[in-house]
Amino acid sequence: MNNPAVAILIGSDSDLEVVCDALVTLEEFSVSYDVCVLSAHRSPQHTVAYVKTMEKKGVQVFIAAAGGAAHLPGIVAAHTVRPVIGLPILTKALGGVDSLYSIVQMPSGVPVATVGINAAKNAGLLAIQILALSDRNFEAKMRLYKRKLTKGVQEKNAVLQKSGWRKYSNT
Amino acid sequence: MNNPAVAILIGSDSDLEVVCDALVTLEEFSVSYDVCVLSAHRSPQHTVAYVKTMEKKGVQVFIAAAGGAAHLPGIVAAHTVRPVIGLPILTKALGGVDSLYSIVQMPSGVPVATVGINAAKNAGLLAIQILALSDRNFEAKMRLYKRKLTKGVQEKNAVLQKSGWRKYSNT
Amino acid sequence: MNNPAVAILIGSDSDLEVVCDALVTLEEFSVSYDVCVLSAHRSPQHTVAYVKTMEKKGVQVFIAAAGGAAHLPGIVAAHTVRPVIGLPILTKALGGVDSLYSIVQMPSGVPVATVGINAAKNAGLLAIQILALSDRNFEAKMRLYKRKLTKGVQEKNAVLQKSGWRKYSNT
Amino acid sequence: MNNPAVAILIGSDSDLEVVCDALVTLEEFSVSYDVCVLSAHRSPQHTVAYVKTMEKKGVQVFIAAAGGAAHLPGIVAAHTVRPVIGLPILTKALGGVDSLYSIVQMPSGVPVATVGINAAKNAGLLAIQILALSDRNFEAKMRLYKRKLTKGVQEKNAVLQKSGWRKYSNT
Amino acid sequence: MNNPAVAILIGSDSDLEVVCDALVTLEEFSVSYDVCVLSAHRSPQHTVAYVKTMEKKGVQVFIAAAGGAAHLPGIVAAHTVRPVIGLPILTKALGGVDSLYSIVQMPSGVPVATVGINAAKNAGLLAIQILALSDRNFEAKMRLYKRKLTKGVQEKNAVLQKSGWRKYSNT
Amino acid sequence: MNNPAVAILIGSDSDLEVVCDALVTLEEFSVSYDVCVLSAHRSPQHTVAYVKTMEKKGVQVFIAAAGGAAHLPGIVAAHTVRPVIGLPILTKALGGVDSLYSIVQMPSGVPVATVGINAAKNAGLLAIQILALSDRNFEAKMRLYKRKLTKGVQEKNAVLQKSGWRKYSNT
Amino acid sequence: MNNPAVAILIGSDSDLEVVCDALVTLEEFSVSYDVCVLSAHRSPQHTVAYVKTMEKKGVQVFIAAAGGAAHLPGIVAAHTVRPVIGLPILTKALGGVDSLYSIVQMPSGVPVATVGINAAKNAGLLAIQILALSDRNFEAKMRLYKRKLTKGVQEKNAVLQKSGWRKYSNT
Amino acid sequence: MNNPAVAILIGSDSDLEVVCDALVTLEEFSVSYDVCVLSAHRSPQHTVAYVKTMEKKGVQVFIAAAGGAAHLPGIVAAHTVRPVIGLPILTKALGGVDSLYSIVQMPSGVPVATVGINAAKNAGLLAIQILALSDRNFEAKMRLYKRKLTKGVQEKNAVLQKSGWRKYSNT
């Protein structure tokens, strides 16, 4: 897409498996997006160039996913005035605590809007909530989505009440 | 203010000391805001009522600060489609790790945009970055702010280079 | 059941697998209970309504299970004067430390009686200990249960002594 | 008091400074209680004897406070069928995480109702919530207490709204 | 054995799988021992009785293994003047940090000699090092054991040098 | 002393403030000891030489205190067959968790008997418990010490009962 | 090799599986190296002897890998003036946090250049960066390597752009 | 200095207080250096420009100090082939664990040689050890330094032996 509303940066292509939940969510809301493999450490210049280009092309929100010394979201935030959503990826050794601390503990002046470890869907939803501020269409969809969330819980509960927990937990 | 752009919820008035950095920042950008002491556990109904009222009044972004089992940001997020910024407050026993986990590890469907422990200024800046998407005035101010940030670092460095680190560290 | 003694709230139906240990325990003690899938964030109003209704129906103890930013027990506690038992669910990334902190570190004024991570049986037993204060029948059963616990350890030890540890560890 | 409703055990007299919040709370609700310095490790036999005697005297709820390898609540729970509330004390080295884990992670069969680190008032309130199940007087007081909690938040907010946050934070 | 030198207490028979490394080690040094399943919380009186009986029978060293709120080693230490070795068992949720803190952070006056998480062999070796102080036979065996440890490393290295690391890592 | 029973190694003279509790305890039991400032990293050869010399001189137990990457206890254990007690020192950044892990998580074959963070008195007592196995005099003193511990708790409790907790906590 | 530039010490042969990434990297850069199984605790004298011999033979950089109470890198650093790279190995119980703290938190005067948990390739690359300071050949290769890193990211991105993320994540 | 051997980057001038130990150490070894306040997030372009310029000017080693989401060392490493030493700064909330993880857990391909939290002197010494590989003068000084370290420990021990620990700890 030429003028995407959201740009998603992935530090390593192995993170795509997690990040795809964000992409699916954006598609469900018909949000235009661009997704790119870019590394804060291995391709730093391309990362900076991409952020600047995308900001000029009109990107409203950035999502950056990274694990370990997860610098990607912070580096994006350093080069744009747009809100940056940081998505910490689960790590084998430290469970993603390293990713979380590296993303959320940004210095004063350069915030990153951090979501939970591997919480890619929430990264997508937060981007849409931000876009919805200037797009009534997205806002309406988001209200619908929240009602569906509620309904989903209620439907599960209805099945549980009807079948009993023993039967439910076997399905 | 009658139709503030940002609503700030404080779980305890003892958190005001931290949160005031966010308020000062919003004022510096001339962002209209409303600040309220409200507790997810001690005044849950008022909290929900406040969130709903504020959303109707046109609030664009919520900031919620809380420490310990810091439920306030999540509860706000449960009752609005607006983006919610969560500000974890430093705690005596656990250094704010409890606040951080309680805020950032939200379930799928209900994101909270979490900033660093006690990072109130960044909470304010993130709110402004979001508002700037639909207000060119804020965007211009934010670009200016980022340039000032850069300049601030350069000026400190210039003093350091001129005076030498021994003299600098004594001032 | 129309007037259950215990109400169990599950934040996500995926937690049922853990929680069933509590349900089995309640059944073993012939404690009437009601179990419900309800989310503090996805169906907040139903959660509050359920808590208030159940309190009026005579529920004596609430058990709430949740993982991650586990707000459910705290939200239940905010809306009832009954004792609330919080059951932190094991999480993939953080091993349930996030759930534990989010549940146990409640603010002053609104306690949650927290049991161990995934300790569903203990949640059930704690509920029964509380009910036993006003029901001699439950108290007698609890005394019997504790004797059985002791006997269980002794029997295992007797087998170990008889067979020797090598044989024992192969069975 | 001869037949107290609540028995409070303190592992070390240095913990009294924290625990006194629980005692004050019990007094505010006119709950009869007994408080005792007893150590799971330094006076184990007296601890067991005390628990058994108190249970016979009609104690309904035990509160046990301890820090570090905080075994006291678990040892109380091993010797009574009454609900035991565990209060983890803040520690200098580990911030009370050691106390919390030692108290909350009890084995299956012997629960301890754990409250937050140094959350003595909540330990007292939880005891009263339990007692209130069989004493309408306590229940009424607890409802009143919760309304006061709400009112307290509202009053603070009213002052904040009236004076503005700058003035408020200076007082 | 009637008058064992070492008594090993296991909080749960599921820990036997780990503890057997200690038992094998004791056998390799021909140390007489007694192993028992006993719970600090489920069979507290038997635990205390066992410790006192064993001390009278001449047990020199106790080894106690436990996981979670691992009180067993501390309770043993509370009832004997003999050295007590604490063996923290790996736990699913917290990796054994809970076990470690519960065992090592004992209050002043009642030490537990703690070894690493799941380090059963080291628990056995430490017991033998203590016994060796009054038994030249054990001391000689321990010196031999340490030489074998060194030799074992050297032999592995010799194979590595000869075969090269690629071949070595395939075997 | 020429033939001390216990040798205490201190990684840094700044740890002496903590370690002195161990020394006082040894003196109270009339245990002969030698104390030395020696570093595993800054004076490794002297450390090894000291350990070997002391073992030859008849030292029965080593106590080694260290903070941070606290290698000293492990290095002592590598060079002696005697039991080595490791004392982790509180650190400013990590609260002594670094010291604890570095000391307790020893590899298979080379145990260190670890006590709590800054638990110097317990290090001394553990040494005496070990010495008491071959010295009835120490055993008698240790039994007396444990009775005094119990008595100390009882006396504090007696004062508490007499004066009431309010008066007690003011003294 | 007789005069290797890099010496790699492995605390346990089970760590070879991780360390081989460092060895492969050194070979890719044609760096001469020696690899040895040596234990700080089980073969301390051989370790010291090896370090001293290797330094005399002209080794420029040491790499030491260890897990748990990972003393090996620190012990190497204690006996050489050459830079020592510490490689913390992932541990089952604590995820390698024990290894990391034991390696990185060295006392003042004796640094260890620590890389990430299990980051063997980075240990190798760091060694080569150091060697490159006095060998223009290595420097040229390192510049090439960094360009390849960048190119690798770009190529992955090119495939992602061409195929789309759905197709990409299925391959 | 025009062609310094070492370049030190400080993320915030508040870190200078810690970093000065590195500077003093470099001066003691007569190592030429340049020190600069530069931020990975607030002045990213100047940071990159500085790194590239300094590499061209012949800087051999970079030292970068940062706290929180401490990206500075990683960003330096992304733009140079020279070895980069990362110095994690102690943080108020998390004790520097955030800084440590953000610095040490770098992705494969871009190592940072990490020293301990606030271990500025060790950062300086590591730089000198690296420089000493191509400068016999530095190597000689480093050998002398290590001997002085040893001597320092011995002298402290001598005073301790002479005065006794009671007198020593009072001075």
Side-chain angles (χ1 to χ4, degrees):
Chain A
M1 299 158 197
N2 271 329
N3 295 303
V6 179
I8 299 105
L9 297 91
I10 308 175
S12 160
D13 65 337
S14 62
D15 300 341
L16 189 56
E17 191 186 9
V18 171
V19 171
C20 60
D21 272 357
L23 306 180
V24 168
T25 301
L26 292 172
E27 292 184 3
E28 282 172 2
F29 280 78
S30 304
V31 174
S32 61
Y33 69 86
D34 188 76
V35 58
C36 225
V37 180
L38 277 164
S39 165
H41 301 112
R42 287 178 284 215
S43 58
Q45 285 162 318
H46 297 98
T47 302
V48 172
Y50 177 79
V51 172
K52 291 189 173 171
T53 304
M54 283 295 145
E55 192 187 297
K56 276 182 199 148
K57 279 194 180 172
V59 157
Q60 303 291 294
V61 183
F62 288 89
I63 297 175
H71 296 185
L72 191 58
I75 292 312
V76 175
H79 289 92
T80 183
V81 295
R82 301 289 170 231
V84 177
I85 298 171
L87 171 58
I89 299 294
L90 187 74
T91 51
K92 197 186 166 189
L94 300 175
V97 171
D98 44 356
S99 322
L100 174 58
Y101 287 172
S102 301
I103 291 175
V104 81
Q105 288 290 81
M106 287 289 287
S108 192
V110 190
V112 167
T114 310
V115 294
I117 298 168
N118 267 10
K121 181 179 278 192
N122 275 1
L125 290 170
L126 181 56
I128 297 161
Q129 286 181 321
I130 293 170
L131 295 174
L133 291 174
S134 51
D135 187 328
R136 304 289 299 211
N137 186 28
F138 288 144
E139 187 186 326
K141 281 184 182 174
M142 184 55 74
R143 290 192 191 282
L144 189 65
Y145 177 83
K146 294 206 93 164
R147 277 197 294 274
K148 273 187 195 167
L149 270 186
T150 306
K151 216 175 159 186
V153 175
Q154 283 179 292
E155 283 169 359
K156 282 182 179 173
N157 190 37
V159 177
L160 173 66
Q161 299 311 323
K162 203 179 168 188
S163 65
W165 66 265
R166 276 197 175 78
K167 211 170 172 182
Y168 189 95
S169 62
N170 285 336
T171 51
Chain B
M1 299 160 199
N2 271 330
N3 294 302
V6 179
I8 298 105
L9 297 91
I10 308 176
S12 161
D13 66 336
S14 62
D15 300 341
L16 189 55
E17 193 186 7
V18 172
V19 171
C20 61
D21 272 357
L23 306 179
V24 167
T25 302
L26 293 172
E27 293 184 4
E28 284 172 1
F29 280 78
S30 304
V31 174
S32 60
Y33 68 88
D34 188 77
V35 58
C36 224
V37 179
L38 277 163
S39 164
H41 301 113
R42 287 176 285 213
S43 58
Q45 287 163 317
H46 298 96
T47 302
V48 173
Y50 178 78
V51 173
K52 291 188 172 171
T53 304
M54 283 295 146
E55 193 187 297
K56 277 182 198 147
K57 279 193 181 174
V59 156
Q60 303 291 294
V61 183
F62 288 89
I63 297 175
H71 296 186
L72 192 58
I75 293 310
V76 175
H79 289 91
T80 183
V81 295
R82 300 290 170 232
V84 177
I85 297 170
L87 171 58
I89 299 294
L90 186 74
T91 52
K92 197 186 165 188
L94 300 175
V97 171
D98 44 357
S99 322
L100 174 59
Y101 287 173
S102 301
I103 291 175
V104 80
Q105 288 292 79
M106 286 291 287
S108 190
V110 190
V112 167
T114 310
V115 295
I117 298 169
N118 268 10
K121 180 179 277 190
N122 275 1
L125 290 170
L126 180 57
I128 296 161
Q129 285 181 321
I130 293 171
L131 295 174
L133 291 175
S134 51
D135 187 326
R136 304 289 299 212
N137 186 28
F138 289 143
E139 187 187 324
K141 281 184 181 172
M142 184 56 73
R143 291 193 190 281
L144 189 65
Y145 177 83
K146 293 205 94 164
R147 278 197 293 274
K148 273 187 195 167
L149 271 185
T150 306
K151 215 174 161 186
V153 175
Q154 284 179 291
E155 283 169 358
K156 282 182 180 173
N157 190 39
V159 176
L160 173 66
Q161 300 311 323
K162 203 179 169 189
S163 65
W165 67 266
R166 274 197 177 78
K167 210 171 174 182
Y168 189 95
S169 60
N170 285 336
T171 51
Chain C
M1 298 158 200
N2 270 329
N3 295 302
V6 179
I8 298 106
L9 297 91
I10 307 176
S12 160
D13 66 338
S14 63
D15 299 341
L16 189 56
E17 191 187 8
V18 172
V19 172
C20 60
D21 272 357
L23 306 179
V24 167
T25 302
L26 292 173
E27 292 184 4
E28 282 172 2
F29 279 79
S30 305
V31 174
S32 60
Y33 68 86
D34 188 77
V35 58
C36 226
V37 180
L38 278 162
S39 164
H41 301 112
R42 285 176 286 212
S43 58
Q45 286 162 318
H46 297 97
T47 302
V48 173
Y50 178 78
V51 172
K52 290 189 172 172
T53 304
M54 282 295 145
E55 192 186 298
K56 276 181 199 149
K57 279 193 181 175
V59 156
Q60 303 291 293
V61 183
F62 288 89
I63 297 174
H71 296 185
L72 191 58
I75 293 311
V76 175
H79 289 92
T80 182
V81 295
R82 301 289 170 232
V84 178
I85 298 170
L87 172 57
I89 299 294
L90 187 75
T91 51
K92 197 185 166 189
L94 300 175
V97 171
D98 45 356
S99 322
L100 174 58
Y101 286 172
S102 301
I103 291 175
V104 81
Q105 287 291 78
M106 287 290 288
S108 192
V110 191
V112 167
T114 310
V115 294
I117 298 168
N118 268 11
K121 181 179 277 190
N122 275 1
L125 290 170
L126 181 56
I128 295 161
Q129 286 182 321
I130 292 170
L131 296 175
L133 290 175
S134 52
D135 187 327
R136 303 290 299 212
N137 186 28
F138 288 144
E139 186 187 325
K141 280 184 182 173
M142 185 54 76
R143 289 191 192 281
L144 190 64
Y145 176 83
K146 293 205 93 163
R147 278 196 294 274
K148 273 187 195 167
L149 271 185
T150 307
K151 216 175 158 186
V153 175
Q154 283 179 291
E155 283 170 358
K156 281 181 179 173
N157 190 38
V159 176
L160 172 66
Q161 299 310 324
K162 203 178 166 189
S163 64
W165 66 266
R166 278 200 173 75
K167 211 171 174 184
Y168 189 96
S169 63
N170 285 336
T171 51
Chain D
M1 300 159 197
N2 270 328
N3 295 302
V6 179
I8 299 104
L9 296 91
I10 308 176
S12 160
D13 66 337
S14 63
D15 300 341
L16 189 55
E17 193 187 6
V18 172
V19 171
C20 61
D21 272 358
L23 306 179
V24 166
T25 302
L26 292 173
E27 292 184 4
E28 283 171 2
F29 279 78
S30 304
V31 175
S32 60
Y33 69 86
D34 188 76
V35 59
C36 225
V37 179
L38 277 163
S39 165
H41 301 112
R42 285 176 284 211
S43 58
Q45 286 162 319
H46 297 98
T47 302
V48 173
Y50 178 78
V51 172
K52 290 188 171 171
T53 303
M54 283 294 145
E55 191 187 298
K56 276 183 198 148
K57 279 193 180 174
V59 156
Q60 303 291 294
V61 183
F62 287 89
I63 297 174
H71 296 186
L72 192 58
I75 292 311
V76 175
H79 288 92
T80 183
V81 296
R82 300 291 170 231
V84 177
I85 298 169
L87 172 57
I89 300 294
L90 187 74
T91 52
K92 197 185 165 189
L94 300 175
V97 172
D98 44 356
S99 322
L100 174 58
Y101 287 173
S102 300
I103 290 175
V104 81
Q105 288 291 76
M106 286 290 287
S108 191
V110 190
V112 166
T114 309
V115 294
I117 297 169
N118 267 11
K121 181 179 276 191
N122 275 1
L125 290 170
L126 180 56
I128 295 161
Q129 286 181 319
I130 293 170
L131 295 174
L133 291 175
S134 51
D135 187 326
R136 304 290 299 214
N137 186 28
F138 289 143
E139 187 186 324
K141 281 184 180 172
M142 185 55 74
R143 290 192 191 282
L144 190 64
Y145 177 84
K146 294 205 92 162
R147 279 196 293 274
K148 273 186 193 167
L149 271 185
T150 306
K151 215 175 159 186
V153 175
Q154 285 179 290
E155 284 168 0
K156 282 181 179 172
N157 189 39
V159 176
L160 173 66
Q161 299 310 323
K162 204 178 166 189
S163 64
W165 67 266
R166 275 198 176 78
K167 211 171 174 183
Y168 189 94
S169 61
N170 285 336
T171 51
Chain E
M1 299 161 198
N2 270 327
N3 294 302
V6 179
I8 299 105
L9 296 91
I10 308 175
S12 160
D13 66 336
S14 63
D15 300 342
L16 190 55
E17 193 186 8
V18 172
V19 171
C20 60
D21 272 357
L23 306 180
V24 166
T25 303
L26 293 173
E27 292 184 4
E28 283 172 1
F29 279 78
S30 305
V31 174
S32 61
Y33 69 86
D34 188 77
V35 59
C36 225
V37 179
L38 277 163
S39 164
H41 301 112
R42 286 176 284 212
S43 58
Q45 287 163 319
H46 298 96
T47 302
V48 173
Y50 177 78
V51 172
K52 290 188 173 171
T53 303
M54 283 295 145
E55 190 186 300
K56 276 181 199 150
K57 278 193 180 172
V59 156
Q60 303 291 292
V61 183
F62 288 88
I63 297 174
H71 296 186
L72 192 58
I75 293 310
V76 174
H79 288 92
T80 183
V81 296
R82 300 290 170 232
V84 177
I85 297 169
L87 172 57
I89 300 293
L90 186 75
T91 51
K92 196 185 166 189
L94 300 174
V97 171
D98 44 358
S99 322
L100 174 58
Y101 287 172
S102 300
I103 291 175
V104 81
Q105 288 291 77
M106 286 290 288
S108 191
V110 191
V112 167
T114 309
V115 294
I117 298 169
N118 268 11
K121 181 179 276 191
N122 275 1
L125 290 170
L126 180 56
I128 296 161
Q129 286 181 320
I130 292 170
L131 295 174
L133 291 175
S134 51
D135 187 327
R136 304 288 299 212
N137 187 27
F138 288 144
E139 187 187 323
K141 281 184 181 173
M142 185 54 75
R143 290 192 191 282
L144 190 64
Y145 176 84
K146 294 205 92 163
R147 278 196 294 273
K148 274 187 194 165
L149 272 185
T150 306
K151 217 176 157 184
V153 175
Q154 284 179 289
E155 284 169 358
K156 282 181 179 171
N157 189 39
V159 177
L160 173 65
Q161 299 311 322
K162 204 180 166 186
S163 65
W165 67 266
R166 277 198 174 77
K167 210 171 175 183
Y168 189 95
S169 62
N170 285 337
T171 50
Chain F
M1 299 161 198
N2 270 328
N3 295 302
V6 179
I8 299 104
L9 297 90
I10 308 176
S12 160
D13 66 337
S14 63
D15 300 341
L16 189 56
E17 192 187 8
V18 172
V19 171
C20 60
D21 272 357
L23 306 180
V24 167
T25 302
L26 292 172
E27 292 184 3
E28 282 172 3
F29 280 77
S30 304
V31 174
S32 60
Y33 69 86
D34 188 77
V35 57
C36 225
V37 179
L38 278 163
S39 164
H41 301 112
R42 286 176 284 213
S43 59
Q45 286 162 318
H46 297 97
T47 302
V48 173
Y50 177 77
V51 173
K52 291 188 172 172
T53 303
M54 282 294 146
E55 192 187 297
K56 276 181 199 150
K57 278 193 182 176
V59 157
Q60 303 290 293
V61 183
F62 288 88
I63 297 173
H71 295 187
L72 191 59
I75 292 312
V76 175
H79 288 92
T80 182
V81 296
R82 301 290 170 232
V84 177
I85 298 170
L87 171 57
I89 300 295
L90 187 74
T91 51
K92 197 185 166 189
L94 299 175
V97 171
D98 44 357
S99 322
L100 174 58
Y101 287 173
S102 300
I103 291 175
V104 81
Q105 288 291 78
M106 287 290 288
S108 192
V110 191
V112 167
T114 310
V115 294
I117 298 169
N118 267 12
K121 182 180 276 191
N122 275 1
L125 290 170
L126 180 56
I128 296 162
Q129 286 182 321
I130 293 170
L131 295 175
L133 291 175
S134 51
D135 187 326
R136 304 288 299 212
N137 187 29
F138 288 144
E139 187 187 325
K141 280 184 181 172
M142 185 54 75
R143 291 193 191 280
L144 190 64
Y145 177 83
K146 294 206 93 163
R147 278 196 294 275
K148 273 186 195 166
L149 271 185
T150 307
K151 216 175 158 185
V153 176
Q154 284 179 289
E155 283 169 359
K156 282 181 179 171
N157 189 39
V159 176
L160 173 66
Q161 299 310 324
K162 203 178 166 188
S163 64
W165 67 265
R166 276 198 175 77
K167 212 171 173 183
Y168 189 95
S169 62
N170 285 335
T171 51
Chain G
M1 300 160 198
N2 270 330
N3 295 302
V6 179
I8 299 106
L9 297 90
I10 309 176
S12 160
D13 65 337
S14 63
D15 300 342
L16 189 56
E17 193 187 8
V18 172
V19 171
C20 61
D21 272 358
L23 306 180
V24 167
T25 302
L26 293 173
E27 292 183 4
E28 284 172 1
F29 280 78
S30 305
V31 174
S32 60
Y33 69 85
D34 188 77
V35 58
C36 224
V37 179
L38 277 164
S39 165
H41 301 112
R42 286 177 284 212
S43 58
Q45 286 162 320
H46 298 97
T47 302
V48 173
Y50 178 79
V51 172
K52 290 188 171 171
T53 304
M54 283 294 146
E55 191 186 300
K56 276 182 199 148
K57 279 193 179 174
V59 156
Q60 302 292 292
V61 183
F62 288 89
I63 297 174
H71 296 185
L72 192 58
I75 293 310
V76 175
H79 288 92
T80 183
V81 296
R82 299 290 171 232
V84 177
I85 298 170
L87 171 57
I89 300 294
L90 187 74
T91 52
K92 196 185 166 189
L94 300 174
V97 171
D98 44 356
S99 322
L100 174 59
Y101 287 173
S102 300
I103 291 175
V104 81
Q105 287 291 78
M106 287 291 286
S108 191
V110 191
V112 167
T114 309
V115 294
I117 298 169
N118 268 12
K121 181 179 276 190
N122 275 1
L125 290 170
L126 180 56
I128 296 160
Q129 286 181 320
I130 293 170
L131 295 174
L133 291 175
S134 51
D135 188 326
R136 304 288 300 211
N137 187 26
F138 289 144
E139 188 187 323
K141 281 184 181 173
M142 183 56 73
R143 291 192 191 281
L144 190 64
Y145 176 84
K146 295 205 93 162
R147 278 197 295 273
K148 273 187 194 166
L149 271 185
T150 305
K151 217 176 160 186
V153 175
Q154 284 179 289
E155 283 169 358
K156 282 182 179 172
N157 190 38
V159 176
L160 172 66
Q161 299 310 324
K162 204 181 168 187
S163 64
W165 66 266
R166 275 197 176 78
K167 211 171 175 183
Y168 189 95
S169 61
N170 286 336
T171 50
Chain H
M1 300 161 199
N2 270 328
N3 294 302
V6 179
I8 299 106
L9 297 91
I10 308 176
S12 160
D13 65 337
S14 63
D15 299 342
L16 189 57
E17 191 186 8
V18 172
V19 171
C20 60
D21 272 356
L23 306 180
V24 167
T25 302
L26 293 172
E27 293 183 4
E28 283 172 2
F29 280 78
S30 304
V31 174
S32 61
Y33 68 86
D34 188 77
V35 59
C36 224
V37 180
L38 277 164
S39 165
H41 302 113
R42 286 176 284 213
S43 58
Q45 286 162 318
H46 298 96
T47 302
V48 172
Y50 178 79
V51 173
K52 290 189 172 172
T53 305
M54 282 295 147
E55 192 187 298
K56 275 181 200 151
K57 279 193 181 174
V59 156
Q60 303 291 294
V61 183
F62 288 89
I63 297 174
H71 296 186
L72 190 58
I75 293 311
V76 175
H79 288 91
T80 182
V81 296
R82 300 290 170 232
V84 177
I85 297 171
L87 171 58
I89 299 294
L90 187 75
T91 52
K92 197 186 167 189
L94 299 175
V97 171
D98 44 357
S99 323
L100 174 59
Y101 288 173
S102 301
I103 291 174
V104 81
Q105 288 290 79
M106 287 290 287
S108 192
V110 190
V112 167
T114 310
V115 294
I117 298 168
N118 268 11
K121 182 179 277 189
N122 276 1
L125 290 170
L126 180 56
I128 295 161
Q129 286 181 321
I130 293 170
L131 295 174
L133 291 175
S134 52
D135 186 327
R136 304 289 301 211
N137 186 27
F138 289 144
E139 187 187 324
K141 280 184 182 173
M142 184 55 74
R143 291 191 191 281
L144 190 64
Y145 177 82
K146 293 205 93 164
R147 278 197 294 275
K148 273 186 194 167
L149 271 186
T150 306
K151 215 174 160 186
V153 176
Q154 283 179 290
E155 283 168 359
K156 282 181 180 174
N157 190 39
V159 177
L160 172 66
Q161 299 311 323
K162 202 178 169 189
S163 65
W165 66 265
R166 276 197 175 79
K167 211 170 172 182
Y168 190 96
S169 62
N170 285 336
T171 50

